[in-house]
Amino acid sequence: MKRLVVVILVAALAWSGAWFWQAHAQRKAIDAWAAELDARGIAVTWDDLVIRGFPNRLDSTFTGFASSDPQNDLKIEAPVVQVLSMIWNRDHIIAALPRGAGLTRNGKSYALDGEGIRASLVRHGTVLQRVHVEATVLNLSGEISVAMSGVTGAVTLADGETAYRVAFNADDFALSAPTGRGALRLDATVDLAESAAAPHMAVQNVTAIRLTRMELELGPLTLAAVGTVDVDADGLLDGAVSVRADNLSEAIAAERAAGGGAPRMLLAIEQAVSLFSGLSGRKDGIEATFEFRGGKTWVGILPIGPAPHLR
C-alpha cells in the first residue's frame, strides 16, 4: 500500500512538473509569436497574461489585448481574449471573446459583441487545416450595424495547401436600417499565393475567389450571387459576379413606409431598379452580371464605377 501511495505521489509530482514546464513553454511561444509579428510590422500587446488549466489544459487569458497593423490600416482591441488547448494536443486551439472586441479599419471603427463568440482552430505544423466559428448572438455596430444569431462559419483546407473552402450561415440576420429580418448563407473557395500559416490567413495572399453561393433574405428582399474573380497584386478584382435580386418594389415600399432612407435616394433607387428590370427582362427584380476588368466595374458595355479593391 505504501508503495502505491509513493508511486501516486511521484506520478503527481512528475505531472505537475510537466504541466508547469508546458505552461512556461506556452508563455515563451506566445512571446516568440508576438516578436515574429513585430518583425513583420504588426504590433501585438497586452496588459496581462495568465496561464491556467492545471492539470489537463493550457488556458491563456489576455487582458487589455491590442493589435495594430499599419500596412493594412487595421487595429483590433479586446478587453479579454481566451486561448484554450489541451496539454496533449497543442495543434487544436479554442479562442473566445467573452467581452467582445473593437476594430478600426481605414479610419472607421466597429464594435463586436454578443454571446458565445468562439472559434476552434486546427493546424498541422504551421499549416492551417480548419477553423470553425460560432456565436449564439453576434452584433457588429459602426458605420453599418448588423445583428445576427445562430451564427456558424468554417474555413477548411480544400485542395493542396493553398485553397480553402469558406462557409458562413446566420439563421437570423438584420441591418440597422428598417429593412426587416432574414437570413444569410455563403459558400466560396479562396485561393492563396502560399499556404496559410496558423493562426492567421493574410488578405495579401488571396489570389482568387470562387463564389459558389451567396443568399441573403432581408424582409421581402431576396438576393443571390455567384461568380469567380482573380485578385491582382494591388488587390483589384478581375472577373465576373452574377447577381439576382427579387421583390425589389416591395422592399423599397417597406423601406419608405418605415421612414428609412432619404426620399430622393429611394426614388433614384426605384428608377434604377425599373431600368435594370427592363434590361434583364424581369418584372420586379434584377438579374445582371457585373464584370471587373481594367480597374472598372462593367454591366454589359456600360462602365458604372471602379472595380472593388480587396486590400
Side-chain angles (χ1 to χ4, degrees):
M1 184 68 179
K2 289 182 179 179
R3 288 183 178 179
L4 180 60
V5 171
V6 170
V7 169
I8 293 174
L9 287 175
V10 170
L13 288 173
W15 186 263
S16 298
W19 185 90
F20 282 104
W21 180 85
Q22 290 269 25
H24 176 70
Q26 174 88 333
R27 186 178 292 272
K28 290 184 66 176
I30 291 171
D31 290 338
W33 167 72
E36 178 190 353
L37 290 180
D38 185 66
R40 292 164 44 197
I42 302 173
V44 176
T45 61
W46 52 85
D47 295 335
D48 191 26
L49 169 61
V50 176
I51 299 177
R52 296 190 177 95
F54 179 84
N56 297 319
R57 303 199 317 265
L58 288 171
D59 298 347
S60 304
T61 301
F62 301 83
T63 55
F65 180 88
S67 175
S68 176
D69 182 357
Q71 182 179 354
N72 293 300
D73 196 10
L74 175 65
K75 295 181 180 179
I76 300 174
E77 296 179 328
V80 178
V81 177
Q82 295 175 323
V83 181
L84 320 174
S85 65
M86 303 304 293
I87 197 169
W88 56 80
N89 188 2
R90 304 287 295 279
D91 286 334
H92 185 186
I93 298 170
I94 306 293
L97 294 170
R99 293 171 55 188
L103 182 149
T104 302
R105 178 75 190 276
N106 297 328
K108 298 176 182 177
S109 297
Y110 301 89
L112 180 73
D113 62 32
E115 300 174 8
I117 306 173
R118 53 184 174 266
S120 168
L121 181 151
V122 176
R123 62 189 176 184
H124 180 69
T126 60
V127 177
L128 184 67
Q129 298 290 307
R130 65 180 184 270
V131 178
H132 288 209
V133 179
E134 63 179 44
T136 306
V137 176
L138 184 63
N139 300 318
L140 179 66
S141 58
E143 185 179 31
I144 298 176
S145 297
V146 180
M148 294 176 281
S149 64
V151 174
T152 56
V155 177
T156 309
L157 189 63
D159 303 318
E161 292 186 351
T162 59
Y164 288 83
R165 180 172 177 258
V166 180
F168 184 85
N169 181 80
D171 294 334
D172 194 11
F173 180 93
L175 295 174
S176 55
T179 49
R181 309 183 72 90
L184 174 64
R185 291 171 289 275
L186 182 144
D187 196 344
T189 300
V190 177
D191 293 338
L192 304 180
E194 57 187 26
S195 60
H200 56 272
M201 180 185 292
V203 174
Q204 291 89 341
N205 284 340
V206 176
T207 59
I209 302 170
R210 300 189 294 276
L211 183 61
T212 307
R213 178 183 72 161
M214 192 287 289
E215 297 175 352
L216 172 63
E217 301 168 8
L218 199 56
L221 176 66
T222 61
L223 182 68
V226 296
T228 299
V229 295
D230 293 324
V231 183
D232 70 13
D234 296 322
L236 283 174
L237 302 191
D238 187 286
V241 175
S242 297
V243 177
R244 175 174 174 172
D246 291 307
N247 303 323
L248 290 168
S249 296
E250 187 178 349
I252 293 171
E255 187 79 5
R256 182 178 284 120
R264 289 185 179 180
M265 181 185 70
L266 290 176
L267 179 60
I269 293 174
E270 205 166 31
Q271 292 171 341
V273 166
S274 178
L275 172 63
F276 277 99
S277 296
L279 291 174
S280 59
R282 301 179 59 83
K283 183 178 179 181
D284 189 26
I286 292 175
E287 191 165 353
T289 297
F290 295 86
E291 293 186 63
F292 313 117
R293 49 186 167 86
K296 295 181 180 180
T297 300
W298 302 75
V299 177
I301 61 172
L302 299 176
I304 62 172
H309 205 278
L310 188 62
R311 47 184 180 263

